[in-house]
């Protein structure tokens, strides 16, 4: 075998058409062996002869894509000093762009002996070879025919995000061929794309697709890691979602999926997990980073280097002040944008990424690198703005470039529709983009990614069907998952045949969807919520890789009706820029942005303007908002004025019907019902039969009966405005 010196950059295994350059960073290593794994599992070790600036490298001119490989790092094993090198462990390449195989539960994967009374802290390493028990890195072919692919480039204010799971979305889809269900190819199939297109979403946010590992504790229970928040390969698409092979085929399949979604004008956003890795705490397996350079990759406890500093609840946190960690993160982000053509990222537990030392720091190196990077700074960046550390709930605390999951929107909207006592000012602020959270940093309403439901909790249907979590299937005695869900079962816990309860649950789902989709900001819905999917009360399906968590596409009449309704509301949002403003309303957040500009106005049900007493009423459950389509201050993409229909949104979260009075003629002369969440839905657009109106037209002073716990949206065409 010819062995050439190679180059220290780029890191990873780089195929150039006639050979492969291998490069691995390790400051602590004394020597490094590249291990080539044949089809029959035979290992060929190649000494890496060169190292520059702690990067070990070699070039092998005969190696081709599909070659499996790993590393053995020779260096100190001294947990007390933060070092855990062990050449008996075959290690994954942190820069691997594909990974083959799955871990096998074995002593061989661990750097210590299970019987060691020191529990992983002994200075004597376990010498069992992990070859045959671990996963393998794979050399991939970077060449791909992208054709005329281009990023859809949807502006934030035009965006509707659809959070989905690669496997769960298509595993039960009857129109997707069985052989590709639950895969990247399944997402890219015309049946899946047609559903997304008809729904009206502009971006699909995929739950983790970085290569992750299975937890041994789950496998022992007959369960599997479903969500995927257990990353080991930051540049590799997870091989479990590949239909056509795992020796590099998963990369081509992923690219083909992205290309198909782009052709349908749908962006691809990845949920990325850079805050920790799958190696866990000091008792976890040695798979990659721990054995390569533990002290440089992980944040260790000061004064106790044998243990890991953990703000994620997973056992470890990456060392965010390490230039090598930061380089890995930035290199992988750029890779996914430039080579895989993704359009943005949602950062799991993003507050952890900003902890260089203790507190969350908006001036951290991570944010600085993102800000100045010419590639990553130009794609969509969404933070999950919390972690488990001190001050970990950071909603509104991120720099101007970022948008954030708005957990306060979720909590406020849930509380409002379950009838909790709260000020209407809080609800109005959330509905108008949460300027109290984002305006101080110079951001716009689109900084708020609004959601009512996400993957980690109840589905929307379960939110209105259960008071309590029902997680017994997870094997943890129902102790796991969130206990305070702000849910309401509408009178019966779980499934029921009671027609009144079923009707109320349908109405509540329509209320939640309407509030979400018509609020200022960027709405995000979770897969299946558009037609009321259920997880039978389980609010933590992280380990339920089965029919409980997968989307069931067999829809009953109620679900078909809800799907039609959701499409209608999303179409209304898309057609009217008054619901998609780029700037905050001028007034104060706790008064719903109302000011002398007249771009928005808030009313009590009797048609009178909200006064201070009304805003402070903690028991009021009903109000009306006027959205003025003639007073949109921003311009369109070509600098022209934006003029739109005006709308009144009548909210009644009370348990009894309430009569609303249409405001005076200066707000509009003729109003037509666009949405009635209490009405029967036909073609997703109810009639005005349930309101006091003549010939379907509402005029100033007319009384509109809004049924208990429902919304009516009425629109005034631009030509009929005063």
């Amino acid at each position: 075998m010819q062995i050439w010196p190679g180059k220290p950059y780029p890191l990873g295994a780089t195929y150039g058409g006639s050979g492969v350059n291998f490069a691995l960073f390790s400051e602590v290593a004394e020597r490094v062996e590249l291990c080539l794994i044949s089809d029959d599992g035979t290992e060929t070790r190649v000494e890496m002869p060169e190292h520059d600036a702690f990067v070990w490298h070699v070039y092998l001119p005969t190696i081709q894509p599909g070659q499996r490989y790993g590393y053995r790092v020779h260096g100190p094993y001294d947990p007390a000093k933060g070092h855990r090198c062990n050449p008996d462990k075959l290690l994954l390449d942190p820069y691997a762009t594909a990974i083959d195989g799955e871990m096998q539960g074995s002593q061989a994967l661990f750097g210590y002996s299970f019987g060691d009374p020191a529990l992983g802290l002994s200075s004597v390493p376990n010498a069992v070879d992990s070859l045959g028990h671990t996963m393998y890195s794979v050399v991939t072919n970077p060449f791909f025919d992208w054709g005329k692919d281009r990023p859809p480039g949807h502006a934030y204010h035009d965006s509707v995000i659809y959070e989905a799971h690669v496997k769960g979305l298509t595993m039960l889809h009857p129109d997707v061929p069985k052989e590709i269900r639950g895969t990247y190819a399944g997402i890219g199939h015309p049946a899946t794309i047609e559903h997304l297109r008809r729904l009206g979403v502009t971006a699909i946010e995929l739950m983790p697709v970085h290569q992750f590992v299975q937890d041994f504790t789950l496998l022992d229970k007959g369960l599997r890691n479903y969500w995927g928040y257990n990353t080991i390969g930051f540049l590799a698409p997870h091989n479990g979602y590949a239909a056509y092979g795992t020796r590099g085929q998963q990369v081509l399949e992923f690219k083909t999926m992205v290309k198909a979604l782009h052709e349908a004008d749908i962006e691809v956003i990845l949920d990325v997990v850079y805050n920790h890795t799958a190696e866990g705490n000091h008792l976890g397996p040695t798979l990659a980073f721990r054995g390569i350079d533990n002290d440089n990759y992980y944040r260790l406890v000061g004064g106790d280097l044998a243990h890991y500093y953990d703000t994620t609840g997973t056992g470890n946190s990456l060392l965010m002040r390490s230039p090598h960690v930061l380089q890995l993160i930035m290199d992988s982000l750029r890779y996914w944008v430039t080579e895989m053509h993704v359009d943005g990222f949602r950062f799991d537990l993003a507050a952890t990424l900003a902890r260089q030392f203790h507190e969350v720091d908006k001036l951290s190196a991570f944010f600085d690198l993102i800000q100045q990077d010419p590639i990553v700074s130009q794609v969509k960046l969404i933070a999950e703005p919390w972690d488990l550390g001190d001050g970990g709930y950071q909603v509104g605390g991120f720099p101007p470039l970022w948008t954030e999951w708005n957990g306060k929107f979720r909590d406020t909207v849930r509380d409002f529709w379950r009838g909790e006592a709260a000020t209407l000012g809080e609800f109005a602020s959330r509905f108008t983009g949460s300027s109290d959270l984002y305006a101080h940093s110079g951001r716009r309403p689109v900084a708020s990614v609004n959601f009512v439901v996400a993957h980690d909790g109840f589905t929307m249907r379960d939110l209105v069907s259960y008071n309590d979590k029902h997680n017994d299937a997870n094997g943890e005695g129902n102790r796991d998952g969130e206990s305070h869900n702000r849910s309401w079962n509408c009178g019966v816990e779980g499934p029921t045949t009671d027609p009144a309860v079923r009707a109320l649950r349908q109405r509540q789902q329509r209320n939640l969807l309407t509030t979400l989709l018509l609020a200022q900001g960027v709405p995000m819905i979770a897969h299946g919520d558009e037609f009321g999917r259920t997880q039978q009360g389980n609010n933590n399906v992280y380990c339920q890789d089965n029919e409980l968590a997968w989307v069931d596409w067999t829809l009953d009449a109620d679900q078909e009706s809800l799907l039609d309704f959701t499409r209608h509301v999303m179409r209304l949002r898309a057609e009217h820029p008054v619901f998609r403003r780029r700037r905050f309303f001028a007034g104060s957040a706790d008064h719903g942005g109302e000011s002398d500009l007249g771009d928005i106005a808030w009313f009590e049900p009797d048609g009178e303007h909200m006064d201070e007493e009304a805003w402070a009423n903690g028991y009021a459950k009903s109000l009306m908002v006027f959205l003025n389509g003639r007073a949109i201050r921003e311009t369109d993409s070509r600098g022209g004025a934006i003029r739109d229909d005006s709308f009144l949104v009548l909210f009644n979260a009370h348990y009894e019907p309430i009569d609303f009075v249409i405001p005076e003629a200066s707000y509009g002369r003729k109003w037509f019902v666009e949405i009635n969440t209490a009405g029967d839905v036909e073609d997703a657009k109810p009639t005005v039969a349930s309101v006091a109106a003549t010939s379907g037209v509402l005029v100033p002073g007319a009384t509109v009966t809004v049924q208990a716990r429902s919304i009516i949206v009425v629109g005034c065409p631009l030509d009929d405005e005063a």
Side-chain angles (χ1 to χ4, degrees), residues 109-146:
L109 295 174
F110 294 81
Y112 63 95
S113 299
F114 288 164
D116 181 4
L119 295 176
L121 306 182
S122 170
S123 59
V124 180
N126 176 279
V128 180
D129 199 321
S130 66
L131 178 66
H133 301 279
T134 191
M135 301 179 288
Y136 306 115
S137 307
V138 179
V139 176
T140 62
N141 189 337
F143 306 109
F144 180 78
D145 183 9
W146 283 103

Side-chain angles (χ1 to χ4, degrees), residues 141-309:
N141 189 337
F143 306 109
F144 180 78
D145 183 9
W146 283 103
K148 297 181 179 179
D149 182 73
R150 62 173 183 83
H154 295 295
Y156 272 117
H157 65 278
D158 292 328
S159 298
V160 179
I161 298 173
Y162 188 81
E163 187 194 35
H165 189 282
V166 172
K167 186 174 185 178
L169 183 61
T170 65
M171 199 64 189
L172 299 177
H173 201 304
D175 298 327
V176 174
K178 286 185 179 181
E179 61 270 20
I180 63 170
R181 291 177 187 172
T183 68
Y184 305 118
I187 296 289
H189 188 269
T192 308
I193 292 177
E194 178 64 9
H195 174 75
L196 299 176
R197 191 192 62 78
R198 289 189 64 197
L199 189 58
V201 300
T202 66
I204 184 169
E205 181 181 299
L206 297 176
M207 291 179 63
V209 299
H210 287 174
Q211 183 70 47
F212 63 87
V213 304
Q214 291 297 325
D215 312 71
F216 298 135
T217 54
L218 292 179
L219 295 175
D220 290 343
K221 296 178 183 178
L223 302 170
R224 292 180 62 85
N225 185 322
Y226 174 62
W227 283 349
Y229 293 95
N230 206 17
T231 304
I232 197 62
F234 294 112
L235 286 84
H238 182 60
N239 58 28
Y241 302 150
Y244 304 120
T246 61
R247 300 280 286 270
Q249 294 93 336
Q250 62 265 56
V251 177
L252 300 178
E253 188 178 332
F254 186 94
K255 291 178 177 179
T256 302
M257 174 197 72
V258 172
K259 185 178 178 181
L261 287 163
H262 282 182
E263 288 175 353
D265 204 30
I266 297 171
E267 296 178 319
V268 179
I269 297 172
L270 301 188
D271 188 341
V272 292
V273 191
Y274 289 109
N275 51 70
H276 72 282
T277 79
E279 292 186 297
N281 63 14
H282 64 285
L283 298 176
T286 300
L287 306 175
F289 308 92
R290 172 175 285 145
I292 294 170
D293 199 329
N294 186 64
D295 189 40
N296 262 304
Y297 276 116
Y298 290 116
R299 185 173 181 182
L300 307 179
V301 177
D304 184 12
L305 301 182
H307 291 91
Y308 296 81
Y309 190 86

Side-chain angles (χ1 to χ4, degrees), residues 535-707:
Q535 292 173 172
Q536 307 300 324
N538 191 317
N539 72 352
N540 191 30
V541 294
Y542 78 101
C543 59
Q544 298 296 326
D545 189 5
N546 50 50
E547 289 85 352
L548 181 66
W550 302 339
V551 176
D552 184 356
W553 293 86
T554 306
L555 309 185
D556 61 24
D558 284 347
Q559 291 177 299
E560 291 281 5
S561 174
L562 185 60
L563 177 58
D564 287 341
F565 178 87
T566 307
R567 287 170 176 162
H568 171 64
V569 181
M570 291 184 66
R571 186 164 55 249
L572 189 71
R573 176 186 177 88
E575 291 173 351
H576 293 284
V578 75
F579 299 118
R580 299 180 282 106
R581 299 173 64 98
R582 291 187 288 110
R583 298 180 181 176
F584 287 115
F585 297 103
S588 68
D590 60 356
H591 285 47
E594 186 169 340
S595 70
D596 293 339
L597 294 177
D599 49 359
I600 188 171
W602 292 88
F603 300 91
E604 295 183 76
D606 61 4
E608 296 295 320
H609 271 99
M610 298 275 288
D611 57 19
E612 291 298 328
E613 183 180 357
W615 281 117
N617 188 343
Y619 295 94
K621 301 292 184 295
S622 307
L623 73 171
M624 174 168 51
V625 60
F626 167 72
L627 301 172
N628 191 348
R630 295 167 295 158
I632 301 175
R633 290 179 293 155
E634 57 259 35
T635 61
D636 62 22
S637 60
R638 299 189 175 183
I642 299 176
R643 291 177 61 82
D644 191 18
D645 299 348
S646 294
F647 289 87
L648 287 168
V649 186
L650 288 58
F651 297 98
N652 181 21
H654 193 53
Y655 59 83
E656 292 180 334
I658 290 182
D659 289 340
F660 283 70
V661 178
I662 300 296
E664 61 184 69
S666 61
Y667 295 97
R669 295 175 299 189
K670 295 180 181 179
W671 299 88
F672 301 86
V673 176
E674 295 286 349
I675 297 170
N676 180 4
T677 63
D680 293 330
V681 179
E682 182 178 347
D683 296 328
K685 186 175 179 179
T687 68
V688 297
S690 61
V691 302
T694 305
S695 302
V697 179
L698 296 171
V699 297
T703 297
V704 181
T705 301
V706 182
Q707 297 301 318

Side-chain angles (χ1 to χ4, degrees), residues 505-519:
R505 289 175 177 177
Q506 281 289 99
R507 190 186 314 161
Q508 286 285 72
Q509 289 177 84
R510 293 194 288 264
N511 291 336
L512 293 166
L513 285 165
T514 301
T515 307
L516 169 66
L517 293 170
L518 299 188

